[in-house]
Amino acid sequence: MPRVNEKSEPIERPRLTERFLRCLSRRLTVVEAPLGYGKTTLIRAWVTHLEASDAKVKYLSFEGLARGQLEHVTNALTRLGLHFDECTGLDDATDQAESEHMPAECRYLVLDDFHEADAACVAFVRTILREPEPSLHLIIGSREPPGIALTKLRMTDQVNDFTTEDLRFDLSEAQALFQNDMTLDEVEANLLRSEGWAAALQLLRQFGMNPGERPPDFDELSEFANYLNEQYFEQLSQDQRHLLLNTAHVEKLDGDLANRLTGRTNGWTELAHLSRSNALIFEEVKATSTTYRYHQLLRDFLRRKQQQLGQKRLAELHYTTSVWFAECDALFETMQHACLSGRPQRAETLLLDAGGVQVGMLQGAGLLAACLDLLSGQQVYSSPRLLVAQAYVFLKTGRIKDGTELLAELRRSLEPDQSLLEREIILVEAHARAYSDKQMSRRQLDALEHTIASTPSTDSLMRGLLSNFLCMFLIESGDFQKAQDFGERAMAHYGDISAKHLQFFMHLHLATIELEIGQLHNAYRARSEAMDLCMEHFSFDPSLRAIARIYLDETAFEAGETVGVAERLQTALRRIDRLEGWNMLYLAGYETCLGLLVEDGDIQSSVDLLEHAGSLVARRGMQLFSNQLLAMQLDLAVRAGARLEARRLASEIDRLLADTGSEAGLRWRGRVRAELSMARYEADNKAEGPALKRVQRVAKFCAAKGLRRLELRALVRKFCLAFQTRDLAMAESTLNSCLALMRCHGGLGAILRERTAFKEAALWLVSENGVGKFEPDDIALLADALWHASIQSVGTRSSILAELLTERELEVLEELAKGSANKVIARALQVTEPTVKFHLKNIYRKIGVNSRKLAIEIARNYG
């Protein structure tokens, strides 16, 4: 049998006590929260703390204090050694015998349960606060705003406010409350359900458990229902109880809906009053609306009590609510309450009238899935249009096989006169083609373009979606100019129908084109706009947030911003593991993340990342991404020194490169990455000649196609090869080409992927040629690239010399630039003269000079 837990020690709340003590120099502390949030317990703990430090404290509660309130307050002030006179205000009560020797220190008056104070008492406290009396600190505890104008005091930082949000128990406090009676997961679950409400948690604690027994749910606690009934519900007016009982079935409501459900006109007034009194009803104010929600435990209590109204009345309430939400264009809520009113057929009709699968395309798969979940399986599987919607949800949630099989079945059973159904099948088939990661032939691309041209110009959704997917397929085929054209057409169509959800995706696809052709600034802007759209309209959708994050962080990486990117990408990739995804998205996320992890030397995390990607490929059967994953795996194997695995992967990639005709072969994107990974493998095996031929072939192909990002990647690899073979002329010309691309198109991703090798090659070239041989603009750009290539690329960017030299060498060069002799430099730096000569030799070698005069000139020219 359950037992009552006798433990009753108050839980210490150091985060609140520390803040209270830190702000005692202010005039006033206000603790305002509804019943059961532990105001009195907390305030009494503060009183105990103050008394322990020999402070002068007087505690007064207004609970049950019906008469003589003002007299009690003035007596409390007197006992503190203060006297109030209407003419002179607050003064030390030096005429009081018990206070004759009171030190001039702060005194504390606590007025608890201030919501029960009468008008005279409130006016008196208001007067006290107008007095400039620094020796008195007032502490007010109340369920309602104290009825005192505090704006001026708050503006001058004289009030320490503790609100409901502050008083909610956090996880550590809840753990302390339950001690070892619950697991961490159980504590978290109860904390979430109670929303940190102390009274609810205390009741759970007092209810107790036998060892090994499952902790009770709040629904099982009759004591809790009695508590809410006696201490809250029965204390309300009849109008307020009527409102709560008739609106308990609604998650959020406003005054107009309350009026519709109650048949009265005071909904706004009553809700505002209940919210202001902090009576477990919370006001949520947005730019265009104000809504209210009930604390979920209060809502659960009210819903049980609502059953007493009878099934007929409940059905009427749900139907009225459904009609209301229909007027507000809130599809899910309209369907939900239609089902709860006993009208599931109305819910089905509502979804189909709203466009069926178009709901998901225009407002997100999450909403469509939630709407379908409201319907029975029989309803969905007896309606072909709802089955199309179900197939779309399957595709959007990673169930590619289920989605494509369902579409094939629908296609086989399609009748000639079902034009609307056929249209919806075509739209979802386009999604299936993109998500199943299959290549399209030129003939198929032409057919899709013809379909777009033959679609009525008035059908903006159809034309927009088909143009969108044609844009994606053209990117995969390498036709960027045409892809951009159809992408911009899709964006225009989406703008015509204000399809924010589809505009989000189109921003991402157009940004992919910009990034590949080297327009980094444009790509960054487009992906930032996509993130803004997501956070403004779809912040509730974790899949869209993760997609936006992956693409934005890929662009940030290309711009040289690396702090926190790997961690964010790993989180985002895990989040979309079983959700929506396509080849370009996965490539952006995994390749960028791998580039960061490998260059940081985190081989184990790199292995884990690619293992996760491999499981994704196996589950979804993604052929294009599978091929590109091989290139990433080969890069990692080479860097990790796994020679046998590298040899196996190289053989597999060689086979793919030789396959130029089959559907399973490589297209341009996979071919470029495969060639670059093979060049790394060959260079690691001292086959520099074949490696050089590969990177030159890739660079030429990318230059011809305008693929500036990948061209730069090939050139950086060539530059590193020139260093490996010590080919000074090739290194110089290749670095110049790299710098020219970076200057025109931006982008540092290629260098960050070869951070260590690039830095070694650049330092070698500068030392061989000398700093003076480079143009100043090239030196500035190279210094920036080397700064980004540094593991410690934080703080302010510095000059080329700071990248080439150690701190001690910089100090020596600084003294040298002043014209100091070696002996003077040695004295200034407190080293020996031979040490100075040793550093000067290294300096001359690193900056590529052979005389003191040239070193001084370089030092003065470059800071």
Side-chain angles (χ1 to χ4, degrees):
M1 291 291 292
R3 59 185 173 82
V4 174
N5 196 323
E6 298 297 334
K7 296 177 289 187
S8 59
E9 302 84 5
I11 299 302
E12 291 186 7
R13 310 190 72 182
R15 64 183 175 91
L16 302 179
T17 300
E18 288 169 9
R19 186 177 130 198
F20 166 72
L21 296 173
R22 190 169 62 249
C23 300
L24 284 179
S25 59
R26 301 181 186 183
R27 296 288 309 282
L28 175 66
T29 295
V30 176
V31 184
E32 181 190 332
L35 176 73
Y37 271 88
K39 297 181 299 300
T40 296
T41 302
L42 180 64
I43 289 171
R44 285 189 177 278
W46 292 347
V47 169
T48 301
H49 194 97
L50 291 170
E51 288 175 341
S53 61
D54 295 327
K56 200 73 172 178
V57 188
K58 183 60 183 174
Y59 176 89
L60 175 64
S61 172
F62 288 91
E63 185 178 18
L65 201 61
R67 297 181 180 179
Q69 290 185 347
L70 187 56
E71 183 180 352
H72 279 86
V73 176
T74 56
N75 287 342
L77 285 171
T78 301
R79 292 184 66 81
L80 286 172
L82 292 170
H83 173 70
F84 183 81
D85 184 275
E86 292 186 4
C87 299
T88 61
L90 277 173
D91 293 305
D92 284 338
T94 53
D95 58 331
Q96 301 293 325
E98 62 178 299
S99 307
E100 285 180 358
H101 304 292
M102 178 175 290
E105 59 186 11
C106 191
R107 286 153 276 195
Y108 303 92
L109 175 60
V110 180
L111 303 177
D112 203 3
D113 297 300
F114 197 71
H115 51 275
E116 296 191 14
D118 59 28
C121 205
V122 173
F124 180 68
V125 173
R126 189 184 302 124
T127 304
I128 290 176
L129 287 171
R130 284 202 294 264
E131 294 298 319
E133 178 49 63
S135 70
L136 176 66
H137 184 93
L138 275 177
I139 302 166
I140 292 177
S142 178
R143 295 182 194 173
E144 304 174 4
I148 302 168
L150 297 177
T151 303
K152 184 176 179 181
L153 286 174
R154 285 188 171 116
M155 291 290 288
T156 55
D157 204 24
Q158 290 299 305
V159 183
N160 188 12
D161 283 299
F162 290 84
T163 65
T164 303
E165 288 303 314
D166 298 310
L167 267 65
R168 293 185 198 277
F169 268 49
D170 63 18
L171 183 58
S172 63
E173 291 165 342
Q175 284 182 280
L177 178 70
F178 292 114
Q179 296 183 5
N180 296 319
D181 292 338
M182 290 186 186
T183 66
L184 179 60
D185 288 343
E186 291 167 346
V187 173
E188 286 183 322
N190 282 300
L191 184 64
L192 182 65
R193 181 94 189 278
S194 68
E195 298 189 45
W197 188 15
L201 293 170
Q202 285 284 5
L203 278 170
L204 251 186
R205 173 203 192 191
Q206 290 167 15
F207 186 77
M209 294 166 291
N210 290 320
E213 185 180 12
R214 180 187 66 83
D217 194 271
F218 287 106
D219 294 335
E220 301 170 7
L221 295 178
S222 59
E223 292 94 336
F224 183 68
N226 292 336
Y227 175 85
L228 275 174
N229 195 57
E230 295 170 7
Q231 299 294 327
Y232 176 71
F233 190 71
E234 293 298 333
Q235 305 298 320
L236 301 175
S237 69
Q238 185 176 350
D239 273 2
Q240 290 170 337
R241 292 199 298 270
H242 179 76
L243 183 149
L244 293 179
L245 280 179
N246 284 275
T247 58
H249 60 289
V250 185
E251 296 290 334
K252 289 185 181 181
L253 75 157
D254 62 15
D256 292 335
L257 177 54
N259 290 337
R260 182 81 67 91
L261 291 169
T262 60
R264 301 181 181 181
T265 59
N266 60 351
W268 283 106
T269 303
E270 292 291 8
L271 286 170
H273 174 74
L274 288 168
S275 175
R276 283 197 301 271
S277 66
N278 282 317
L280 304 180
I281 297 180
F282 308 112
E283 182 183 58
E284 298 182 355
V285 180
K286 295 184 178 179
T288 58
S289 65
T290 298
T291 57
Y292 297 86
R293 73 171 182 89
Y294 303 157
H295 188 292
Q296 55 184 317
L297 294 178
L298 172 63
R299 184 193 63 211
D300 293 346
F301 163 78
L302 290 172
R303 286 182 179 178
R304 288 194 297 275
K305 208 166 184 66
Q306 196 182 47
Q307 298 298 317
Q308 299 171 11
L309 298 176
Q311 290 303 310
K312 184 178 179 181
R313 176 58 181 159
L314 280 176
E316 289 175 354
L317 288 172
H318 281 297
Y319 182 71
T320 302
T321 306
S322 177
V323 173
W324 166 267
F325 278 118
E327 295 170 3
C328 300
D329 294 324
L331 178 63
F332 174 78
E333 290 81 1
T334 305
M335 291 179 59
Q336 179 187 43
H337 289 284
C339 290
L340 291 170
S341 72
R343 296 171 172 85
Q345 192 57 47
R346 167 178 161 81
E348 178 183 337
T349 302
L350 285 164
L351 179 55
L352 292 174
D353 288 348
V357 70
Q358 292 184 29
V359 170
M361 294 176 181
L362 295 173
Q363 301 180 59
L367 174 61
L368 180 58
C371 291
L372 287 170
D373 285 344
L374 292 172
L375 305 176
S376 68
Q378 183 179 359
Q379 283 179 286
V380 174
Y381 282 92
S382 62
S383 168
R385 289 188 63 206
L386 291 181
L387 282 174
V388 174
Q390 185 65 71
Y392 177 80
V393 170
F394 284 158
L395 294 174
K396 287 284 188 175
T397 52
R399 297 173 60 180
I400 310 299
K401 183 179 179 181
D402 292 338
T404 51
E405 287 179 354
L406 186 52
L407 285 172
E409 183 180 335
L410 286 163
R411 173 65 72 179
R412 284 193 296 269
S413 59
L414 185 66
E415 299 292 338
D417 60 342
Q418 294 177 301
S419 58
L420 176 57
L421 178 61
E422 182 178 19
R423 174 183 182 277
E424 292 178 340
I425 290 173
I426 290 171
L427 291 177
V428 181
E429 283 175 337
H431 285 81
R433 168 66 73 167
Y435 296 154
S436 59
D437 200 32
K438 293 180 179 177
Q439 301 185 57
M440 290 189 76
S441 66
R442 172 50 58 184
R443 183 177 177 181
Q444 289 171 321
L445 290 173
D446 291 343
L448 181 54
E449 187 174 347
H450 174 74
T451 303
I452 295 170
S454 60
T455 300
S457 58
T458 54
D459 193 348
S460 292
L461 176 62
M462 183 76 160
R463 290 176 72 94
L465 278 168
L466 295 179
S467 297
N468 182 342
F469 285 111
L470 183 56
C471 170
M472 291 180 67
F473 298 140
L474 286 168
I475 291 173
E476 291 291 4
S477 70
D479 192 341
F480 284 97
Q481 185 172 351
K482 205 168 188 179
Q484 191 160 29
D485 177 42
F486 277 96
E488 288 170 355
R489 291 190 203 180
M491 185 66 88
H493 290 307
Y494 294 159
D496 290 342
I497 55 177
S498 299
K500 303 294 184 186
H501 185 257
L502 296 172
Q503 287 175 337
F504 166 81
F505 287 102
M506 207 61 249
H507 277 305
L508 299 179
H509 300 326
L510 287 171
T512 296
I513 297 171
E514 298 284 7
L515 192 61
E516 295 296 358
I517 64 176
Q519 298 301 320
L520 179 60
H521 177 74
N522 293 345
Y524 214 142
R525 184 181 65 244
R527 288 180 174 175
S528 297
E529 288 174 2
M531 177 63 83
D532 291 343
L533 266 178
C534 176
M535 299 313 296
E536 182 178 355
H537 299 284
F538 310 105
S539 60
F540 56 85
D541 189 328
S543 176
L544 290 195
R545 291 202 311 272
I547 290 169
R549 171 50 58 198
I550 289 168
Y551 271 127
L552 189 58
D553 273 343
E554 181 198 28
T555 321
F557 175 76
E558 292 295 330
E561 302 167 18
T562 59
V563 177
V565 170
E567 293 80 3
R568 291 197 301 267
L569 281 174
Q570 288 177 89
T571 300
L573 287 167
R574 284 194 298 271
R575 187 165 292 162
I576 63 168
D577 184 22
R578 296 184 180 274
L579 298 173
E580 181 176 6
W582 56 92
N583 174 56
M584 287 183 286
L585 171 67
Y586 291 125
L587 182 62
Y590 282 104
E591 189 181 51
T592 303
C593 193
L594 181 68
L596 284 161
L597 293 174
V598 167
E599 278 298 330
D600 285 342
D602 193 347
I603 299 300
Q604 185 55 55
S605 293
S606 301
V607 171
D608 292 343
L609 180 76
L610 293 191
E611 187 175 345
H612 188 271
S615 66
L616 177 80
V617 165
R619 187 170 61 253
R620 299 200 179 195
M622 303 182 71
Q623 186 63 55
L624 291 178
F625 183 59
S626 174
N627 293 340
Q628 289 153 353
L629 184 58
L630 284 174
M632 290 185 250
Q633 290 170 332
L634 178 56
D635 273 348
L636 178 58
V638 171
R639 290 170 184 261
R643 291 193 171 274
L644 287 177
E645 176 64 6
R647 187 185 306 163
R648 183 190 70 80
L649 290 166
S651 175
E652 193 169 348
I653 290 174
D654 246 346
R655 179 182 57 78
L656 278 173
L657 287 169
D659 180 6
T660 57
S662 73
E663 188 175 333
L666 293 166
R667 286 292 181 94
W668 72 270
R669 190 191 298 273
R671 187 168 292 276
V672 165
R673 285 166 170 80
E675 292 275 18
L676 291 177
S677 67
M678 286 296 293
R680 183 187 302 281
Y681 169 74
E682 289 165 343
D684 186 64
N685 285 278
K686 309 303 180 185
E688 291 93 350
L692 180 59
K693 288 180 180 178
R694 287 189 191 273
V695 295
Q696 287 175 329
R697 187 162 60 239
V698 170
K700 183 178 180 181
F701 169 80
C702 292
K705 289 281 189 178
L707 305 173
R708 303 305 178 199
R709 180 169 74 136
L710 290 173
E711 181 186 1
L712 181 58
R713 209 180 289 185
L715 289 173
V716 169
R717 190 92 281 283
K718 182 181 176 182
F719 178 56
C720 295
L721 271 170
F723 167 61
Q724 187 170 326
T725 58
R726 297 301 191 270
D727 188 330
L728 190 62
M730 183 171 72
E732 184 178 350
S733 64
T734 306
L735 180 60
N736 287 334
S737 298
C738 290
L739 295 175
L741 267 181
M742 290 165 60
R743 186 176 298 108
C744 294
H745 303 287
L748 290 156
I751 288 169
L752 294 177
R753 285 182 169 86
E754 307 280 355
R755 192 167 62 192
T756 304
F758 177 84
K759 188 161 189 174
E760 288 179 355
L763 296 181
W764 166 74
L765 180 61
V766 171
S767 68
E768 291 293 322
N769 278 0
V771 173
K773 190 172 180 180
F774 292 87
E775 294 294 327
D777 288 348
D778 288 343
I779 282 293
L781 190 56
L782 181 59
D784 188 58
L786 289 172
W787 180 85
H788 279 93
S790 171
I791 295 176
Q792 304 296 329
S793 56
V794 293
T796 305
R797 292 170 174 78
S798 53
S799 72
I800 187 67
L801 298 179
E803 303 301 334
L804 296 171
L805 307 178
T806 66
E807 288 187 18
R808 175 59 82 183
E809 289 166 353
L810 282 171
E811 291 172 345
V812 171
L813 187 58
E814 184 179 356
E815 293 296 325
L816 186 68
K818 295 176 183 177
S820 302
N822 289 357
K823 290 182 179 180
V824 176
I825 296 174
R827 281 197 303 271
L829 301 181
Q830 298 181 338
V831 296
T832 64
E833 191 172 349
T835 300
V836 172
K837 291 179 180 178
F838 171 77
H839 285 312
L840 286 175
K841 184 179 178 181
N842 283 337
I843 290 168
Y844 297 164
R845 176 179 56 80
K846 287 182 179 181
I847 64 177
V849 298
N850 56 12
S851 71
R852 193 182 192 93
K853 180 180 178 182
L854 288 174
I856 292 172
E857 183 179 340
I858 293 293
R860 289 172 177 170
N861 286 342
Y862 294 101

